[in-house]
Amino acid sequence: ARRTILLMQLKHAIGKHAFQEENVVYAKMRDQGLTEAADHLNHEHGYVKQYFFDLGEMPKDDPAWLPKLKEFRALIEKHMREEEDELFPKLRAQLSDAQNRHITAAMNKEGLKLA
């Protein structure tokens, strides 16, 4: 039961964050000529959804459940490092301070839609 609840909470938090990124940051990346990178990140979000589906469908006491969760964690960590260390700094560098503030505000606004 604990795994089910924690998975549901994680799915909500990551789903909300992905919604914000897809509707604001990735769109802005495409506008700034970073289309391939935005499409790559968006593609990875599809795999995040696949992991949530697979983990949700598996019996929580299945011996394969924890290894699957560890694979998922590795994917999420790699995705986050790529965003935070490479791609988002590249986008921020292309934008003015005002544009960066606007992106932050737009992210917050999108987040309220799913709060």
Side-chain angles (χ1 to χ4, degrees), residues 28-62:
K28 189 63 172 177
M29 288 174 71
R30 288 183 188 96
D31 286 346
Q32 294 298 123
L34 299 170
T35 302
E36 187 175 320
D39 290 347
H40 165 72
L41 294 173
N42 195 64
H43 180 78
E44 285 187 346
H45 280 192
Y47 284 101
V48 168
K49 293 171 187 170
Q50 184 68 49
Y51 271 101
F52 277 124
F53 177 80
D54 292 344
L55 288 165
E57 291 291 305
M58 291 174 74
K60 304 308 176 264
D61 61 350
D62 186 323

Side-chain angles (χ1 to χ4, degrees), residues 101-115:
R101 284 191 302 274
H102 175 74
I103 292 295
T104 299
M107 282 280 289
N108 291 333
K109 184 177 177 182
E110 285 298 298
L112 291 174
K113 293 177 182 177
L114 299 179

Side-chain angles (χ1 to χ4, degrees), residues 9-82:
Q9 290 172 333
L10 184 62
K11 184 176 181 179
H12 175 74
I14 289 179
K16 179 179 179 265
H17 186 76
F19 179 81
Q20 292 170 285
E21 286 181 338
E22 290 165 6
N23 289 322
V24 178
V25 179
Y26 298 172
K28 189 63 172 177
M29 288 174 71
R30 288 183 188 96
D31 286 346
Q32 294 298 123
L34 299 170
T35 302
E36 187 175 320
D39 290 347
H40 165 72
L41 294 173
N42 195 64
H43 180 78
E44 285 187 346
H45 280 192
Y47 284 101
V48 168
K49 293 171 187 170
Q50 184 68 49
Y51 271 101
F52 277 124
F53 177 80
D54 292 344
L55 288 165
E57 291 291 305
M58 291 174 74
K60 304 308 176 264
D61 61 350
D62 186 323
W65 199 87
L66 279 177
K68 185 77 165 180
L69 182 65
K70 288 179 182 179
E71 286 176 21
F72 180 42
R73 180 179 177 168
L75 171 74
I76 291 286
E77 288 176 350
K78 177 185 169 292
H79 179 84
M80 288 171 34
R81 280 192 306 273
E82 189 174 13

